[in-house]
Structures are given as structure tokens and as C-alpha cells.
Amino acid sequence: MARRKQIYEGKAKVLFEGPEPGTLVQYFKDDATAFNNKKKGTITGKGVLNNRISEYLMMRLEEIGIPTHFVRRLNMREQLVKEVEIIPIEVVVRNIAAGSISTRFHIPEGTRLPRSIVEYYYKNDEFNDPMVSEEHITGFGWAAIHEIDEMLNMSLRVNDYLAGLFLGIGIKLVDFKVEYGRLYHENGDVQVVLADELSPDNMRLWDFKTNEKMDKDRFRRDLGRVEEAYQEVARRLGILPESGPTDVKGPSTLQ
Ligand code: UDP
């Protein structure tokens, strides 16, 4: 097969031209970075697991009416997605304090927040992804006010849905980051859809009983057993690659 034309290479994924206009192929690498590229490494098999986990979660979210860029998984490391214009805002939703919110406001890690807190960051490595307000987003023209509204509403729905899904398999959804894109329809409509990926690379997932970390913090903080943690998330979701595409059993609820 002719090699596809590369459109963009990011830290954890590569985007290639898709088979039809308006589509892209998203390839998941094993590369891991943290602290704005200062720490680099490889997590063997991460790309395969994230491809699978992201496919599963995007499909579940589509089922509850969240529009996403996901079309279908193509193979172990690639998925077909709709081509969108990425809105340069990272939306972070937090349920439990960890990472930067703990540092910034001196809240001990693990403290449950009074309610889910949403933050916006401007996606720009050069500026170290600064936290921004709605005023910055509209003032600098990164997104319109109605787009911020849609991103906020969708992010809260994603949070409620995923928090419940993970709770059912004995995992606390501490926080996560999502990105959105503009999907340009042929009739001229522009729709804000969930894009990028949903995986332990951009979520904090803690075991419900032990609080053991099952996400990229294992890499960031050199805790070891990184692959195993990602694999355990996939296993509890019932989607380990070994089970094959036709016998995905889905999550088994813990009693
Ligand atoms: N996050 C991400 N990409 C980023 C920054 C954060 O996916 O560039 C995710 C991170 O994995 C965590 C959440 O967003 O689940 C909140 O991250 P935080 O602001 O605490 O930053 P960190 O501690 O990772 O620097």
C-alpha cells in the first residue's frame, strides 16, 4: 500500500491524509512526553492501548449524543477520524485535586473538590500552555462565546458519563483534558465536536480502593509499571487487544 501523506506529527500521535476527503488517519505512537517536552520516553504498547481505549470511550460518548471526530478503528495503532479544525483550547475538568491545581492552590492531592471545576488552557508549547479565561479566548479570537458554551456543556457531560463508567469498574476519574474541533459540513454548518483522544495519557485515573495511579502520572513521576497500568485500565474496560474486535465484552461492573 502506498505510504500515506503525513499531515502533522504531535508528541503522541501522527496524523496522515485519510482515504477520503474530509478524513484523517490518526496513528498512536508509544512516545511519551511530560513537563512540556522536558521529559521524554517510550511506553511500550501505549499506542495500541490508547487507540483502543480512545475508540471505546468515543463510541460510548457518541451513544449518549456527544458528537466526536471518531469514525472507526482501522488497525492496532490507527483510527479513521473526521478532519476538523482544532480549537486551540485544552479544556480540563477536575473532580479531585491533583497536579497543577494542588500546587497552585496548596490543596493536598486527593481532596475531593466542592464541585467539578472546569479550566481552559491555551494550547501553545512556546508559552507553556497558559491557563486562560473566557475573556482571553474570545478576545484573542480562539473561539466564539457560543463555542465556549458548547465545549463547557459537552465537557461536563463527558465528565458525568466517564466518572460513572469508571466508577463502575473501580476507578476514580480524578481529572481529564479534552480538545474540540470545528467540523465543517457540506451545507455550511459548523459543528463543535470532541476531537484528539481520550486515554490515560490525558486523564488521571486512580484505583478506587488503593488510590494507585493508573495513568501518565506513573511516567511523569517515575513510579514504574506504566504499561501495566494502561493495560489494567483496558482490561477493566473489557477491551484488551487480545480479546479481538468481535469479542469485546465491555466493562464488568464491580459489586
Ligand atoms: N493534561 C493533558 N495535557 C496537558 C496538560 C494536562 O492531557 O498538556 C491532563 C493531565 O493528564 C491531567 C489533567 O489534564 O489529567 C490536568 O492536568 P494538570 O493541569 O494537573 O497538569 P499537570 O499536573 O499534568 O502538569
Side-chain angles (χ1 to χ4, degrees):
M1 200 179 71
R3 197 66 206 129
R4 297 190 189 98
K5 187 169 158 226
Q6 186 173 315
I7 307 276
Y8 174 80
E9 174 151 15
K11 292 173 216 151
K13 296 187 292 296
V14 188
L15 288 175
F16 295 98
E17 212 167 55
E20 310 122 50
T23 64
L24 296 174
V25 172
Q26 189 164 253
Y27 175 96
F28 287 75
K29 301 191 278 187
D30 284 348
D31 297 355
T33 64
F35 313 118
N36 197 15
N37 254 331
K38 287 197 239 341
K39 182 178 167 85
K40 288 188 182 155
T42 321
I43 304 171
T44 313
K46 170 173 84 81
V48 175
L49 290 163
N50 282 358
N51 185 24
R52 197 67 182 237
I53 294 170
S54 199
E55 168 199 25
Y56 182 76
L57 297 179
M58 292 270 181
M59 281 181 2
R60 296 290 80 81
L61 289 169
E62 285 273 359
E63 282 170 2
I64 62 154
I66 306 277
T68 80
H69 73 157
F70 180 80
V71 181
R72 65 173 180 277
R73 192 167 59 83
L74 297 171
N75 54 49
M76 297 284 272
R77 285 188 184 269
E78 293 179 321
Q79 50 181 244
L80 187 67
V81 298
K82 296 172 195 162
E83 184 172 21
V84 297
E85 177 182 73
I86 291 288
I87 297 173
I89 300 299
E90 300 191 339
V91 182
V92 168
V93 185
R94 303 176 184 275
N95 301 309
I96 295 171
S100 67
I101 200 171
S102 290
T103 320
R104 198 179 304 125
F105 300 111
H106 301 185
I107 309 171
E109 269 208 347
T111 310
R112 185 157 281 280
L113 296 167
R115 63 174 170 81
S116 302
I117 291 180
V118 181
E119 298 169 344
Y120 304 112
Y121 293 84
Y122 178 46
K123 202 171 138 66
N124 187 311
D125 285 343
E126 195 189 335
F127 304 148
N128 216 356
D129 294 353
M131 182 151 75
V132 293
S133 71
E134 290 190 12
E135 286 293 298
H136 297 104
I137 300 174
T138 52
F140 292 124
W142 298 321
I145 196 87
H146 73 272
E147 293 177 322
I148 301 177
D149 242 36
E150 285 172 48
M151 293 194 287
L152 173 62
N153 289 334
M154 281 196 264
S155 301
L156 290 173
R157 283 194 72 201
V158 168
N159 182 48
D160 284 347
Y161 182 81
L162 292 185
L165 177 82
F166 281 117
L167 189 61
I169 54 170
I171 294 175
K172 290 184 205 170
L173 177 62
V174 173
D175 59 30
F176 66 90
K177 181 269 292 180
V178 277
E179 294 180 25
Y180 293 88
R182 297 184 187 97
L183 179 61
Y184 291 87
H185 290 278
E186 276 173 13
N187 64 3
D189 287 356
V190 187
Q191 187 186 15
V192 176
V193 303
L194 189 63
D196 192 49
E197 69 176 280
L198 281 172
S199 75
D201 266 13
N202 24 60
M203 300 176 172
R204 286 196 170 92
L205 301 170
W206 294 357
D207 179 83
F208 193 81
K209 287 200 186 117
T210 65
N211 279 335
E212 201 182 345
K213 298 184 196 325
M214 306 171 72
D215 55 62
K216 203 166 114 181
D217 271 350
R218 299 203 73 82
F219 167 78
R220 292 191 190 99
R221 303 177 187 189
D222 293 319
L223 300 175
R225 301 181 60 80
V226 192
E227 299 92 86
E228 289 83 349
Y230 281 56
Q231 211 158 12
E232 177 62 11
V233 173
R235 192 190 68 75
R236 290 200 200 176
L237 287 169
I239 52 168
L240 261 193
E242 285 82 352
S243 55
T246 50
D247 59 352
V248 168
K249 50 184 178 4
S252 0
T253 310
L254 290 188
Q255 298 305 318

